[in-house]
Amino acid sequence: MPNDHTHIPRRGAVAQPAVMSLVREITEADLERLALALPTAPPPLQKARAIHHKQAQLLAEGYSVNEVAAIVGSTAQRISLLKNDQTFAELISYYQDQRAEIEFETHRRIQNTLVDVLELAAGEIQERLSDDTARSAVALPELRKLAEFAADRTVAPPRATQQGSALPPTKIELNFGYKPQAEPKTITIEPEQNESPV
């Protein structure tokens, strides 16, 4: 850029000549320093728009800043700055509370379903054991295992290994044969997978 003298008029003042001269060309290092320069803090968020709600919701769900930026089409730098904004932080907290409540309700619903399954299964076993013919078809060792299985989970203290861990039976099979020639009906009860075998 050649040296140039330009008159820049100012309102209410007599125009004075402004002298501009070339010091040096901008280099690639200058651009890198500009990219690394700390951004100025944005103004406080006055009103949360739809994009802010989406960003806060994704962050509350555990997405990273870079992932949120890619999903909503903004920059990771902008989202990082927003996270320091009090209004935006409260928005994230709101969605985190909502997510925790949803997870709690889901857990409670699944737990209630499993309790229903347990009651139905226990009722079916009790009904079959109440039938003299069906009960007489069950071998004594199987009845003993069933009694131990029920006692360990109700009134009797569980058996323990030397390390003190409970040892429920690994598997119980009840064979109900109503007729000598009939194919026996089997109920299999297995412990949860996190329990150790006998």
Side-chain angles (χ1 to χ4, degrees):
M1 176 186 297
N3 292 346
D4 186 25
H5 297 275
T6 305
H7 295 279
I8 303 176
R10 292 179 296 174
R11 184 182 297 269
V14 178
Q16 297 294 328
V19 179
M20 294 184 292
S21 60
L22 175 67
V23 177
R24 63 177 176 83
E25 297 287 344
I26 295 177
T27 65
E28 206 170 304
D30 294 328
L31 298 177
E32 290 178 359
R33 282 198 297 273
L34 286 174
L36 296 175
L38 292 176
T40 57
L45 193 62
Q46 299 296 329
K47 183 178 179 181
R49 303 197 311 273
I51 188 171
H52 298 132
H53 282 272
K54 186 62 177 178
Q55 291 167 338
Q57 191 173 11
L58 291 171
L59 289 171
E61 291 176 3
Y63 287 91
S64 69
V65 170
N66 289 331
E67 290 171 333
V68 174
I71 292 171
V72 302
S74 61
T75 64
Q77 184 182 49
R78 172 61 178 163
I79 297 175
S80 296
L81 291 173
L82 278 173
K83 287 179 69 177
N84 296 323
D85 183 273
Q86 182 178 354
T87 303
F88 191 75
E90 290 174 357
L91 204 58
I92 295 175
S93 178
Y94 166 76
Y95 282 113
Q96 285 174 337
D97 292 343
Q98 267 199 344
R99 181 173 175 82
E101 185 175 347
I102 291 172
E103 289 178 351
F104 174 77
E105 289 297 328
T106 301
H107 174 76
R108 187 171 65 177
R109 187 175 66 253
I110 293 174
Q111 189 177 38
N112 290 339
T113 300
L114 293 176
V115 170
D116 291 341
V117 170
L118 173 62
E119 290 179 349
L120 288 172
E124 179 69 16
I125 293 174
Q126 185 177 11
E127 183 178 344
R128 294 191 183 192
L129 289 178
S130 300
D131 184 276
D132 293 338
T133 305
R135 187 174 60 254
S136 62
V138 182
L140 184 60
E142 291 176 348
L143 288 174
R144 185 181 296 113
K145 286 181 181 180
L146 179 60
E148 292 175 354
F149 181 82
D152 285 347
R153 283 155 178 77
T154 52
V155 294
R159 292 177 297 163
T161 61
Q162 293 179 353
Q163 290 78 18
S165 59
L167 286 176
T170 57
K171 189 174 183 181
I172 297 175
E173 289 189 358
L174 303 178
N175 297 319
F176 296 93
Y178 292 92
K179 297 179 181 179
Q181 292 81 16
E183 183 177 355
K185 297 181 180 180
T186 302
I187 296 179
T188 301
I189 303 174
E190 295 184 2
E192 297 177 359
Q193 294 184 357
N194 59 355
E195 295 178 341
S196 302
V198 179

